[in-house]
Structure formats: C-alpha cells, structure tokens
Amino acid sequence: MVSMVSGFFAVFAELLLPGLAVLCRDWPVLQAVATLPLLLLLSYWCCASVFPESPRWLIATSQISQAKKCLQSFSARNGMCVSDELYPAETLLSEIDEVFPEDIQPEYHHVVELRHTRVIWKNCLILGFTLFIGTGIQYCFTRNLHIYSPHFYFSYFLRVLTGALACVFLCVSVDRFGRRGMLLLAAIVTGLSSLLLLALTQYLHGGLVLVLSVVGLLSSQALAMLSVFFGSEVMPTVVRGGTLGLIMAAGCVGMAASSLMELQNNGGYFLHHVIFASFAVLSVLCIMLLPETKHKPLPDSLKDGERQRRPPLFLSHISQDNPPLLRMQPQSSEYNRDSYSRLVTATKKMLTKDALPYKISISPQAPLLSSNGTVPDANEDSS
C-alpha cells in the first residue's frame, strides 16, 4: 500500500509539472523550482528523528543496540510503556536479548556480494530488465498519439492518466492474483500491443490504433511500477537498498532511450520499436523464473533470498483413483509465542525484584513426632 501511495504522489507531481512550466515561462527557472525542494532531503540525513533508520535492517545486520534504541523511540512516540510486560514492545526486546548475544559484531553487506549468489542476482537482473522495457517502450505508444493531436499536452496528460489507472489497477489486483501473475500479465499485454502496432499499423483503423496505444501505455506503466514493487519484496533486507538502486538505474536507461529518440526526430524509430517489442516477448519467459512473494515474509539475509524458488508451472493434484494410503492431518498447536514470551518476561521481573509485593504465609503445623519420639495425644493435636 505504501508503494502504491508513492505512485500516486508521482502521478500528482507529473500533473503539476505543466502548471509550473506555465508559471515559470523559462527553462532555467523551472529547473531551479523543481530542484531546490530536494534540499529538504538533507534534513533526513542530519536529523535522525525526522527519518529514523529501519529497525529491520539494523536487526538483519546485527546492529542490536541501535535497533533497540530505534524500537524504544517508536514505542515512546506511540505512547506505549515498554516497562510493562502486557505490551508487545517489551516482549520484542526480550526476544532480541534471547536470540542475539551481547558481544555480537555488526555484519554489513554490499551489492558486490551478489556475484556469489545464484537466485538473488537472477531476480535482480530480471526485474531490472522488465523495468527497462516498461520505461523504454512507452515511446512506441506515445508516438502514435501525436497523429490525433499535434499538441504536446494531449499525449502528456494521457500518459499521466494511464499511469494513475495503472496504479489503481495494481492496488486492486496485486493482492488477489499475486505479484508474479500480474507482472506476467502486464508483460504479455505490452508485448502483444507492441507487436500488433508494429506489424499492422498501416492496415488498422485509426480508432483501433488509438485503443492499442492506450492499452499498451497502460500495461507498460503497470509493468514498470510492479517491477519496482516486486523488487522491494523479493530482495533481501541486507542488500535491498543497493539492489533496488540497480533496478531503478535500469529504468532510467529505458527513459533515456526514449528521450534520445525524441532528440533525433524519430530517426531509427522502427529499429527502436522492433528491439523493445522483442524484449517484451523475451521478458514473458524471464518472469516465469521469479518467485511469488504474496503472503510470504520478507527475506532478511542472503540465505533467505537464496531459498526463494519459483512456484511450479502446473500444480499437481492428487488423483481420486489413487489416493494416498495414509492421510496425515497436521495437528493444531496450542503454543502461543506471545503469551509464552510475556510469561517469561514477567517471571524474570519477579525474580529480579528485591522485595516481593506480597508474602506467602505458611500456617504452623505440629510435627508428627515429638522430641522424645512419642506420638502426641489427640487432645493436644486437636487443640
């Protein structure tokens, strides 16, 4: 949901850009107006309270003391008392103390370590390839829109509106049909639209060309957005920032290819269209190698990222003619991790206290044998 909200902010910024261009009326002024607000990002680096570090990344890299401080600051800002065992913050801190030793050293990872992996670099390469196609092939669709209106604003606003529709479409469909399935669908629609426009543009009606261009533009933007979103889930926490940077750099190369075509006055447009249409078809085969991340925990370490495997192409169902001899039904476990952790935390606090809040009183009882070894009388026992 956060990724989709950021996509809406990007669409809103593109809608405001023509208005800023009208107000500025000069290219250097517009560039200054668009660049100066980026200086506010320096406050994120200077003030840690404005934009704190990710506790998940701190724990994944074994920076336990910083992770505890970050979690305690979150709890304090949210108004939760971490000193009470009834709150989950104290449970989380106690679990961190039990899992990690006190003298553990931080472990930092770099993008260069991807050369020693087999699955992570493959996923990064495929998602960078799909983002490169999604951003570079958009020029093949927007060029057909200039036939219906020579003005720049028609193609620009139509591209922005299709981006907003693609964002809404992903919000509705990704959680239901999965990331891998929707990415595959977007790649198929993009490739088919591009191939039909490449081969049949001169034979198709003008309205059908417009429809294919809009559909291709919609699917290509969905392909680009979902590639970034998919990369943020499939990449491990320890190298997520670096791998996302590589994926988005591939997208910037695709946008640069479209800009070069406009600077050359559509010189080499046919070759550009053929290359990206072929890449779109090739990406369909590559996406099948990606794992599915729907309803799965995020990978933290490189080992977790290497354990991710693609789902089978064909689900195997048990035949009714040959049922298994023994059908094992998993028994539901009554173990509750939160309740057990709270019990452990409360017990530790009771044992470490100097004075108990209550005293256990033991009623005096007469011994079974007296000091001389004789059994006391019944009257004395009753008294």
Side-chain angles (χ1 to χ4, degrees):
M1 185 58 66
V2 173
S3 299
M4 296 300 104
V5 169
S6 63
F8 283 117
F9 272 99
V11 171
F12 182 69
E14 288 184 339
L15 288 175
L16 290 181
L17 186 58
L20 291 177
V22 172
L23 294 177
C24 295
R25 296 182 179 275
D26 196 2
W27 171 253
V29 178
L30 177 62
Q31 188 175 8
V33 170
T35 306
L36 287 179
L38 296 176
L39 297 177
L40 297 176
L41 298 177
L42 294 176
S43 61
Y44 293 163
W45 180 47
C46 299
C47 303
S49 59
V50 178
F51 194 75
E53 189 56 77
S54 169
R56 191 183 191 96
W57 178 77
L58 292 174
I59 294 177
T61 54
S62 301
Q63 304 181 52
I64 306 304
S65 59
Q66 292 87 343
K68 287 182 179 180
K69 293 179 182 179
C70 190
L71 292 173
Q72 289 175 352
S73 65
F74 287 170
S75 301
R77 292 183 181 181
N78 293 332
M80 298 180 62
C81 181
V82 297
S83 62
D84 195 348
E85 66 272 4
L86 297 179
Y87 293 94
E90 178 68 19
T91 304
L92 180 60
L93 295 180
S94 62
E95 290 180 357
I96 293 176
D97 293 334
E98 293 176 1
V99 173
F100 297 95
E102 297 181 357
D103 56 346
I104 189 171
Q105 298 296 327
E107 297 180 0
Y108 300 100
H109 300 270
H110 304 280
V111 183
V112 185
E113 298 181 16
L114 294 181
R115 70 181 188 272
H116 301 297
T117 62
R118 297 180 57 186
V119 179
I120 300 175
W121 76 266
K122 178 193 66 177
N123 297 336
C124 182
L125 182 62
I126 293 174
L127 292 174
F129 183 57
T130 55
L131 183 59
F132 169 74
I133 296 170
T135 54
I137 205 172
Q138 293 180 15
Y139 178 76
C140 302
F141 302 116
T142 55
R143 182 179 178 273
N144 297 323
L145 302 177
H146 297 294
I147 303 174
Y148 303 94
S149 178
H151 298 287
F152 164 75
Y153 296 103
F154 175 74
S155 61
Y156 180 83
F157 283 111
L158 187 59
R159 183 180 62 83
V160 174
L161 291 178
T162 53
L165 291 177
C167 197
V168 174
F169 175 71
L170 293 179
C171 289
V172 175
S173 60
V174 164
D175 281 337
R176 176 173 298 182
F177 301 104
R179 284 79 162 136
R180 180 172 174 263
M182 296 311 302
L183 188 67
L184 185 62
L185 177 63
I188 291 174
V189 175
T190 303
L192 287 177
S193 302
S194 179
L195 289 176
L196 290 175
L197 290 175
L198 180 64
L200 304 175
T201 301
Q202 55 184 350
Y203 304 106
L204 296 177
H205 191 265
L208 187 56
V209 173
L210 178 61
V211 171
L212 287 176
S213 299
V214 173
V215 171
L217 196 59
L218 176 66
S219 60
S220 62
Q221 297 202 51
L223 180 66
M225 291 181 184
L226 192 53
S227 297
V228 179
F229 172 59
F230 202 178
S232 64
E233 286 190 341
V234 78
M235 292 294 121
T237 303
V238 292
V239 291
R240 183 170 293 129
T243 51
L244 273 180
L246 293 177
I247 294 173
M248 298 185 71
C252 294
V253 173
M255 289 188 290
S258 300
S259 301
L260 289 176
M261 293 301 301
E262 294 180 354
L263 292 176
Q264 294 178 359
N265 295 325
N266 297 328
Y269 165 74
F270 181 77
L271 181 60
H272 179 272
H273 200 162
V274 169
I275 291 175
F276 275 93
S278 304
F279 284 169
V281 176
L282 181 60
S283 66
V284 175
L285 302 176
C286 296
I287 292 173
M288 294 183 180
L289 302 176
L290 293 175
E292 179 57 62
T293 59
K294 176 185 175 183
H295 300 313
K296 292 184 179 179
L298 294 177
D300 289 329
S301 62
L302 295 178
K303 293 182 180 179
D304 296 337
E306 287 294 299
R307 294 191 188 102
Q308 293 180 333
R309 294 293 185 269
R310 63 173 180 85
L313 297 178
F314 302 100
L315 298 178
S316 59
H317 298 281
I318 300 175
S319 177
Q320 296 181 358
D321 299 332
N322 299 318
L325 296 178
L326 297 177
R327 184 180 297 274
M328 301 298 295
Q329 295 182 356
Q331 299 179 357
S332 59
S333 177
E334 298 180 355
Y335 172 72
N336 192 345
R337 182 179 180 181
D338 295 336
S339 300
Y340 180 76
S341 301
R342 292 174 183 175
L343 178 61
V344 171
T345 306
T347 306
K348 287 182 178 180
K349 289 186 176 182
M350 291 176 61
L351 295 176
T352 54
K353 288 182 179 178
D354 297 334
L356 294 176
Y358 55 88
K359 293 183 179 180
I360 301 176
S361 60
I362 302 176
S363 58
Q365 185 178 3
L368 296 179
L369 295 177
S370 60
S371 60
N372 56 3
T374 60
V375 180
D377 296 337
N379 295 332
E380 295 177 359
D381 188 26
S382 62
S383 62

